[in-house]
Amino acid sequence: MLNNTRHGKLAAVAVMAATALAITSCGSSEPATPAANAGGSSAAAEPVTITVHTFGGGENFGYDKAVETWNAAHPNIQVKYQNLTDRFEDVYLPQLLQRLQAGSGAADIIAVDEGAMGLMKARPQFFTDLAEYGLESRKADFPAAKWDNGINADNKLFALGTDIGGMTMCYRTDLFQKAGLPTERDEVSKLWPDWNAFMEIGKKFQAANPGKSDPKFLDGPNTLYNVILSQEAPKNGNVSYFDKSNQLILETNPAIKTSFDLVKSFSEAGLTAKLASFTPPWNAAIKKGAFATMGCPAWMLGVVSGAAGEENKGKWDVASVPGGAGNWGGSYLAVPKQSKHPKEAAEVLNYLTGKEGQIAAFQEAAAFPSSLPAQQDPAVSELKNAFFNDAPTGQIFGASVKDLLPTFLGEKHAQVKTSVEKVLEGMDQGSIPYDQAWTKFVEAGVKAAG
Amino acid sequence: MTLHVDTPAPPRPGPRRPVGHRGTERSRGFARFDLRATPYFLVSPYFLLFAIFGVFPLGYTFWVSLHEWELAGDKTLVGFDNYIELITDGAFWNAVVNTLGMFAMSTIPQLALALVLANALNKRIRGRLFFRLGVLLPLITSVVAVAVVFTQLYGRDYGMINWFLSLFDVDAINWQNQKWSAWVAISTMIDWRWTGYNAIILLAAMQTIPKDLYEAAAIDGATARRQFWQITIPMLRPTIIFTVFISTIGGLTLFTEPVMFDGNPTMAGGTTGQYQTVAMFIVKEAFRDFDFGYAAAAAWLLFVLILIGTLINYSFTRRIGGSK
């Protein structure tokens, strides 16, 4: 659901134990419950259990309600939904690859973050061709960018999109008020048509908060960098770290240099709280209000509300982002070849990525639908987010994803992304001097791609 | 533990066993075989398990290390390319330096302190049992819990240590940011946990030293300090060697504390690898960058490094107390 990681309160150990239990219970053929069958179902004669594995903190994929609805209507195809971990790149992905390689242990339906889609596309041998089960017909439901990313190296449809990032700017109304800035979301949006204007507002904010322990304008380099890169990549041929033949273009792609330079200037101006995103100190800072703004794709709203807690309800709001449209994150569902029930799994996948499933996920976890019919549904377009001061998130995100263009992400995108962002953190926190940062940034990227 | 205890049937040709000459010889041959083989048979479970969980992984890791081997991806035999690349890889040597640095920074004060503690606990003091149990207490807390608590103590914004330093007008230190500060923080975690353990082992050894040695020394007018250096230390030599070996192996495979100190499992060990250890480097290569071959090569180099480290330490500790 996101390009990085989300922190939730799930104990990994408990999840692992639960997974082990689920796997054993799948292995044993469960006796058909007569009561359930009495309802009269036409599909499979023997009840089939379809497992769904996802990742993400807080509400993660928000499938609790959707799965409940499905299970009530389909006694012969029971779905078991499990969120394995809150971290994608360094926990979920390695585990998934090992299970794919081993040929067992992966769920019937697995979730994959956008950042690892390049990696999965290059491994068509592990996935079921969804066109075999008629899902080719869903093409019209998705924006071209989202659909195309689900086609793998063998030119087969292997994954369908779930949510989409979109882009907004979250801000703390109480801190804005203290700094003498407007707090109403339309006025705030007008403050920053572009990043230069955003910088000026930042300086104004910081001038009003000069103390050592006063709040900073921004959280740190990571979120800012990803937001700007998501806007710059479409302006430069829709590529980020890799070109379409999977060659590293980190050093030559102007989108990357522009994003890097902007982040550097914000850091040099002293506007960041020098926090690495998705770490415990970052979560603590969200809770304590140690910074005033942060770039927010749709799924980030769930992260913020989860980290900030109920006591901060209404203190955050959502304005438009400087610099135009962009997409950061968003996920896909796929059916591994090792699934024993690919037909039923494809049916469930069709439901979860369909209008009904995506609307339920948006209501539960603020994950903005990639499905066009879902986006146009009043249940989405008119939804307000109570935590964010009743911001009309359906409308805001709907507008932000309207003109979204696809960005090509290479096979080793996730590895390169993780490595270069470490350099940004180092630069922001002072372990890498500003004048050496770009060199180190390129070095780290080249190494991770090699 | 003598051999004949293990032989079940003593080969004694008697009247009740109607066997001929050849038969006797065969049974004698069996007896000899029995005598020789049974001990091996009896210790074999250990070696079988060791072969499965020790030798095989070692060999297989070596086999993997000769490949360009991607997790759930391609494998091509590349010979010693991974090793050559590794030897010229600055990140690997950075991890080696970090590992050795934190090893020295934690182990030397730890063993010295353990020795002093053990000596103190060996004295007749009030509440001796309480103190002896007390020093062992950190050992029964989980490593992860220790690391989590210490990492919070060393927090930049809301950590207790920075709060304490701020009372003396010291600016908030970002402990993860510099090599020295990160090493200090991680070393304290290791020492907090392991000093008591080593102290108890040394204490146990101290109690086996005959009291009359000290009495004789005291009669000859040796001071307590002299007794410590001339009697206690030399008599503890085998135990000190043991603790040094264990600490070396533990120190060179340091993993949990720096991982937890990082706050996320990216295995990067800080923004520029300030505290990335070799073990973290291996996990990062294998399970974050999916480069199994390279990780396997690094694992083999770590193995060699530990062998060298242990040999060096052995040659140092062998000289303890002279070789009179």
Side-chain angles (χ1 to χ4, degrees):
Chain A
M1 309 211 76
L2 70 165
N3 211 347
N4 206 303
T5 45
R6 278 189 223 170
H7 272 255
K9 302 227 163 73
L10 279 177
V13 178
V15 175
M16 289 301 291
T19 314
L21 278 175
I23 289 165
T24 34
S25 66
C26 291
S28 61
S29 61
E30 289 164 31
T33 43
N37 275 351
S41 159
S42 54
E46 185 95 347
V48 166
T49 304
I50 297 297
T51 49
V52 181
H53 285 176
T54 63
F55 56 89
E59 300 285 353
N60 58 75
F61 276 62
Y63 282 163
D64 286 334
K65 192 84 210 323
V67 165
E68 205 177 290
T69 313
W70 170 275
N71 283 347
H74 300 81
N76 281 340
I77 305 177
Q78 289 293 299
V79 176
K80 274 195 180 148
Y81 158 49
Q82 277 168 336
N83 192 60
L84 297 188
T85 167
D86 54 353
R87 299 192 65 90
F88 178 75
E89 279 140 3
D90 40 27
V91 178
Y92 182 90
L93 181 60
Q95 198 177 67
L96 173 62
L97 284 175
Q98 288 171 67
R99 287 172 173 176
L100 290 175
Q101 168 87 78
S104 72
D108 296 301
I109 297 175
I110 53 146
V112 181
D113 174 73
E114 170 201 68
M117 282 302 280
L119 196 78
M120 295 303 169
K121 277 197 232 181
R123 288 161 172 73
Q125 71 271 26
F126 294 128
F127 294 100
T128 303
D129 177 8
L130 296 177
E132 279 177 29
Y133 303 100
L135 298 194
E136 200 72 82
S137 63
R138 295 283 310 281
K139 191 168 181 177
D141 290 356
F142 293 94
K146 198 74 183 173
W147 177 263
D148 290 347
N149 223 3
I151 312 283
N152 64 24
D154 284 357
N155 223 3
K156 297 268 164 48
L157 175 71
F158 82 107
L160 287 187
T162 57
D163 64 326
I164 200 163
M167 198 58 70
T168 59
M169 186 61 75
C170 296
Y171 66 100
R172 286 274 299 219
T173 49
D174 55 337
L175 297 181
F176 266 48
Q177 190 167 20
K178 254 205 270 175
L181 293 167
T183 56
E184 205 274 315
R185 68 181 73 90
D186 290 332
E187 283 175 58
V188 171
S189 299
K190 281 193 200 110
L191 286 178
W192 48 59
D194 56 28
W195 289 106
N196 287 333
F198 187 71
M199 169 78 94
E200 292 313 311
I201 298 298
K203 284 177 180 163
K204 215 186 254 178
F205 178 88
Q206 220 56 75
N209 291 284
K212 230 192 305 186
S213 51
D214 279 344
K216 296 285 181 188
F217 188 56
L218 282 160
D219 59 334
N222 313 78
T223 43
L224 183 68
Y225 170 75
N226 281 299
V227 171
I228 301 175
L229 184 57
S230 78
Q231 300 170 332
E232 289 298 317
K235 293 182 200 161
N236 292 281
N238 298 319
V239 284
S240 68
Y241 301 114
F242 293 90
D243 68 11
K244 283 172 186 163
S245 51
N246 257 318
Q247 295 297 308
L248 188 73
I249 49 162
L250 174 75
E251 212 172 346
T252 51
N253 186 354
I256 307 230
K257 183 72 166 116
T258 311
S259 313
F260 174 89
D261 286 342
L262 265 170
V263 170
K264 189 173 138 192
S265 63
F266 277 96
S267 174
E268 276 179 311
L271 301 184
T272 61
K274 301 185 191 303
L275 293 161
S277 52
F278 308 105
T279 57
W282 183 77
N283 282 332
I286 292 177
K287 198 181 183 78
K288 300 197 177 184
F291 55 85
T293 67
M294 182 166 78
C296 273
W299 49 261
M300 190 69 100
L301 301 185
V303 178
V304 172
S305 59
E310 272 303 298
E311 70 265 31
N312 285 312
K313 190 173 172 177
K315 286 187 186 161
W316 284 88
D317 209 323
V318 185
S320 68
V321 71
N327 178 59
W328 171 16
S331 300
Y332 295 82
L333 296 181
V335 177
K337 262 238 164 81
Q338 56 181 266
S339 166
K340 293 209 171 65
H341 311 288
K343 184 175 162 289
E344 289 81 2
E347 268 178 62
V348 175
L349 186 146
N350 187 35
Y351 164 76
L352 289 175
T353 58
K355 183 176 159 184
E356 203 187 326
Q358 293 208 9
I359 290 174
F362 181 59
Q363 286 166 338
E364 196 171 310
F368 195 76
S370 62
S371 149
L372 299 171
Q375 284 179 16
Q376 284 142 13
D377 194 277
V380 169
S381 61
E382 279 163 26
L383 195 78
K384 291 186 173 170
N385 193 316
F387 186 90
F388 286 83
N389 220 356
D390 279 325
T393 46
Q395 202 187 323
I396 295 174
F397 284 105
S400 83
V401 300
K402 203 153 251 160
D403 305 310
L404 225 48
L405 286 163
T407 298
F408 174 82
L409 303 176
E411 188 180 339
K412 292 197 170 180
H413 176 87
Q415 291 103 304
V416 172
K417 177 183 180 295
T418 313
S419 298
V420 297
E421 281 188 35
K422 278 279 164 202
V423 177
L424 291 178
E425 290 166 18
M427 171 185 84
D428 193 41
Q429 292 167 13
S431 65
I432 299 171
Y434 286 109
D435 54 347
Q436 292 170 24
W438 175 250
T439 320
K440 293 254 160 123
F441 184 91
V442 173
E443 269 174 26
V446 170
K447 185 141 191 296
Chain B
M1 275 235 277
T2 44
L3 282 182
H4 66 265
V5 176
D6 294 326
T7 49
R12 197 185 302 140
R16 287 177 54 196
R17 296 174 73 180
V19 281
H21 182 68
R22 282 175 63 200
T24 315
E25 196 163 63
R26 193 183 293 152
S27 109
R28 200 172 285 150
F30 174 74
R32 207 178 293 129
F33 172 76
D34 190 29
L35 196 67
R36 287 195 182 146
T38 308
Y40 291 104
F41 175 74
L42 291 175
V43 296
S44 66
Y46 167 76
F47 286 98
L48 277 176
L49 288 175
F50 179 69
I52 296 168
F53 295 106
V55 178
F56 171 72
L58 262 177
Y60 194 68
T61 304
F62 183 68
W63 172 244
V64 172
S65 77
L66 301 178
H67 292 74
E68 182 82 53
W69 186 308
E70 209 180 349
L71 179 57
D74 301 332
K75 313 166 179 57
T76 38
L77 192 69
V78 292
F80 284 89
D81 279 8
N82 281 327
Y83 290 91
I84 293 163
E85 201 184 328
L86 203 53
I87 285 169
T88 55
D89 186 347
F92 176 71
W93 291 111
N94 172 58
V96 171
V97 168
N98 287 342
T99 310
L100 294 177
M102 282 187 268
F103 163 67
M105 208 182 231
S106 62
T107 308
I108 295 168
Q110 177 191 333
L111 291 183
L113 195 63
L115 204 55
V116 174
L117 263 177
N119 197 43
L121 291 173
N122 202 22
K123 298 264 158 60
R124 282 162 197 272
I125 47 171
R126 229 176 256 277
R128 200 160 59 161
L129 186 68
F130 173 77
F131 286 115
R132 283 180 182 178
L133 286 177
V135 296
L136 207 55
L137 212 56
L139 193 73
I140 59 166
T141 40
S142 113
V143 192
V144 174
V146 171
V148 166
V149 170
F150 270 81
T151 303
Q152 289 190 352
L153 291 179
Y154 282 108
R156 183 193 67 181
D157 297 327
Y158 312 109
M160 211 162 111
I161 291 171
N162 275 353
W163 165 80
F164 180 74
L165 291 174
S166 74
L167 299 179
F168 304 97
D169 262 345
V170 179
D171 272 346
I173 298 171
N174 187 351
W175 291 91
Q176 273 89 347
N177 210 21
Q178 300 290 331
K179 262 195 198 306
W180 70 266
S181 56
W183 290 10
V184 166
I186 291 167
S187 298
T188 52
M189 294 180 206
I190 301 167
D191 288 351
W192 190 79
R193 189 174 154 81
W194 292 107
T195 306
Y197 168 79
N198 285 317
I200 291 296
I201 288 184
L202 290 170
L203 174 63
M206 275 180 193
Q207 288 175 339
T208 64
I209 302 174
K211 286 276 179 292
D212 40 356
L213 282 177
Y214 292 103
E215 281 163 16
I219 289 167
D220 287 347
T223 59
R225 174 177 300 218
R226 181 102 193 248
Q227 288 175 23
F228 179 72
W229 286 107
Q230 300 287 337
I231 300 173
T232 313
I233 297 279
M235 295 295 279
L236 284 182
R237 207 178 73 178
T239 316
I240 292 176
I241 290 175
F242 171 77
T243 55
V244 167
F245 274 16
I246 295 296
S247 306
T248 307
I249 294 169
L252 294 184
T253 54
L254 182 63
F255 183 69
T256 314
E257 289 89 347
V259 168
M260 298 309 294
F261 191 56
D262 213 358
N264 55 48
T266 56
M267 302 295 153
T271 51
T272 55
Q274 294 95 323
Y275 46 94
Q276 186 191 44
T277 63
V278 182
M280 289 165 82
F281 179 87
I282 293 168
V283 176
K284 180 174 189 297
E285 288 300 330
F287 297 107
R288 301 297 175 263
D289 297 343
F290 310 128
D291 202 345
F292 261 37
Y294 201 57
W300 259 89
L301 282 191
L302 176 62
F303 178 60
V304 172
L305 200 73
I306 292 175
L307 274 185
I308 295 171
T310 311
L311 285 176
I312 291 172
N313 279 334
Y314 179 64
S315 72
F316 271 117
T317 43
R318 215 167 45 144
R319 297 188 196 156
I320 291 174
S323 44
K324 284 176 239 176

